[in-house]
Amino acid sequence: MTERPITTLLIASDFHLGLRRKANFTSESSGRRERRAREVLRQLYDQPADAMVCCGDFFDRSNNSEDTILDALEFAEFQYDRPLFILAGNHDIFQVADKKASLHVIEEIATSNRQPTQVLFDPTLIDIGLCRLYFLPHCLSQELFLEALDEAERAAPEQPAILFLHCTYNMAFEGTNTSLNLTRERAAQLLKTFRYIFIGHEHTPRTDFDGHLILVGSHYPTAFDNLTDKVHYHIHLPTMTVTRKIHWEAARHVYCGPADQAVAGYEFYDLEGEVDPKVPVRLFKEGALGVRTPVRLAVDRSEMLAGVTLERLPELIVRELAAHPNQLALWEELTCSTTSD
């Protein structure tokens, strides 16, 4: 496929370019989270490897702004003279057949400029010399997904092969027909044909079958439910050896503990105990990207003021700020105004 032989692969997933968050973020800190995510992605791209694979959800939405697409092109095309294989995930495509998305723009520009980037919208088998790579992108239904897995087994070569998917793995509950799921039993069958299975979609990394099935996880936290170590993988193809590397260590960037002991310097704060409303304001001012407080507003707004006393008012304010961090700036202005008066 390329003139330069490929002996090493770098595998990452779920970049979610263009992501914006509301819960536990302000509009400004959400933008900073996105910029930080792209910095980490650049560091990933600087890792030595002959080719790179994104296991899906290159974008956060199927349709993106021009700025987001231009930033994506920076990663996909113009800085690196090596193949990049992008598996289309559920966030990358419209859930309507034949409707084009932002990832199609990446594909078209790569083709017209004869760049080594390949976008995989359809099941594709690619021979890279030392092994073959089988890419199975997001399907429109579980039925189609299962049919595509059967075809992947039939198409698999005798030489070592690696399977790339974008789906949930061993989901304990029954989803909808559009919620793709690979069961553990089906994975065991597939691993008789494929040396490794790499899966995108779930944002927390984990492994199964002694490391032969790998859920890569997102390259950077997308929300508070995946504030875990972020990893990528290198495969040395001559020996088919996989190496796991941590590029974002949660312990260095996430504070978990009492609110009154939170100090500056972390990217994310998961606070415990009583939270003074001024604490999230201070943390955001000091550079925090996201701050989660333990109390959530559990009642409807119509019931919120029922039985309110002056003693309970601070509690309600904290709950409102926890549920709507975009109101932090307004709260700070009101507090300063009251203090100055």
Side-chain angles (χ1 to χ4, degrees):
M1 191 203 94
T2 60
E3 295 182 1
R4 185 170 62 184
I6 297 176
T7 61
T8 55
L9 281 179
L10 188 158
I11 300 170
S13 190
D14 289 78
F15 302 156
H16 285 272
L17 294 174
L19 175 65
R20 289 291 186 270
R21 287 293 185 198
K22 293 183 179 179
N24 308 309
F25 295 83
T26 65
S27 57
E28 193 274 338
S29 76
S30 179
R32 286 191 285 112
R33 190 222 67 88
E34 171 70 358
R35 291 192 292 274
R36 176 65 179 135
R38 297 184 192 191
E39 289 174 5
V40 174
L41 184 54
R42 288 187 182 90
Q43 294 167 8
L44 258 182
Y45 270 65
D46 286 337
Q47 297 288 318
D50 299 321
M52 183 173 181
V53 176
C54 172
C55 296
D57 287 351
F58 190 78
F59 288 107
D60 187 61
R61 292 173 294 181
S62 54
N63 189 27
N64 294 272
S65 68
E66 291 182 359
D67 288 342
T68 297
I69 293 174
L70 287 173
D71 284 341
L73 284 170
E74 173 189 347
F75 297 116
E77 302 293 332
F78 303 126
Q79 289 191 354
Y80 305 92
D81 183 24
R82 65 183 183 190
L84 167 62
F85 304 105
I86 304 174
L87 186 66
N90 59 302
H91 281 252
D92 294 313
I93 61 175
F94 287 102
Q95 296 292 343
V96 177
D98 300 326
K99 190 170 183 180
K100 289 193 173 183
S102 296
L103 202 55
H104 287 94
V105 177
I106 304 297
E107 178 188 41
E108 290 169 3
I109 293 178
T111 301
S112 62
N113 291 337
R114 297 184 178 180
Q115 296 288 339
T117 294
Q118 290 196 49
V119 180
L120 294 315
F121 289 105
D122 300 305
T124 305
L125 180 65
I126 298 177
D127 189 343
I128 58 172
L130 292 172
C131 77
R132 293 187 179 184
L133 312 179
Y134 197 97
F135 296 93
L136 178 50
H138 179 76
C139 301
L140 294 178
S141 72
Q142 177 72 5
E143 182 180 359
L144 291 173
F145 178 59
L146 295 177
E147 291 176 1
L149 289 177
D150 292 340
E151 179 58 32
E153 280 187 298
R154 289 192 291 268
E158 295 181 359
Q159 69 185 91
I162 303 171
L163 177 62
F164 297 93
L165 306 173
H166 191 86
C167 62
T168 61
Y169 173 62
N170 204 30
M171 186 167 58
F173 57 92
E174 184 177 353
T176 65
N177 189 44
T178 58
S179 300
L180 309 186
N181 180 53
L182 175 66
T183 66
R184 195 171 192 275
E185 293 74 19
R186 191 71 180 88
Q189 182 65 34
L190 288 165
L191 285 170
K192 295 178 182 179
T193 301
F194 294 94
R195 186 72 62 90
Y196 292 99
I197 300 174
F198 286 88
I199 302 176
H201 184 59
E202 296 189 27
H203 290 182
T204 300
R206 56 192 173 106
T207 63
D208 200 357
F209 295 101
D210 295 323
H212 285 268
L213 184 144
I214 298 171
L215 288 91
V216 183
S218 59
H219 90 287
Y220 188 77
T222 60
F224 273 76
D225 63 359
N226 60 93
L227 291 179
T228 57
D229 289 347
K230 297 304 177 184
V231 303
H232 61 280
Y233 292 85
H234 284 261
I235 301 183
H236 182 247
L237 296 176
T239 59
M240 293 297 284
T241 303
V242 173
T243 304
R244 177 181 185 267
K245 297 188 177 183
I246 299 174
H247 59 260
W248 190 87
E249 189 176 353
R252 296 176 52 198
H253 301 286
V254 181
Y255 171 84
C256 297
D260 58 1
Q261 297 178 26
V263 297
Y266 293 89
E267 294 180 7
F268 301 93
Y269 291 81
D270 200 353
L271 302 179
E272 301 171 358
E274 296 296 324
V275 180
D276 185 324
K278 293 182 181 179
V279 172
V281 174
R282 172 178 63 83
L283 294 175
F284 278 121
K285 274 192 162 186
E286 291 171 343
L289 304 182
V291 179
R292 181 165 69 172
T293 56
V295 182
R296 294 293 181 190
L297 189 62
V299 296
D300 294 335
R301 291 181 180 274
S302 59
E303 303 173 359
M304 187 175 66
L305 296 179
V308 171
T309 63
L310 288 176
E311 291 75 19
R312 283 196 60 214
L313 191 57
E315 174 191 346
L316 290 172
I317 292 173
V318 170
R319 289 183 179 184
E320 276 293 285
L321 291 175
H324 304 283
N326 59 312
Q327 296 178 4
L328 287 171
L330 176 60
W331 166 252
E332 183 182 20
E333 288 179 12
L334 291 173
T335 304
C336 291
S337 175
T338 303
T339 304
S340 62
D341 289 342

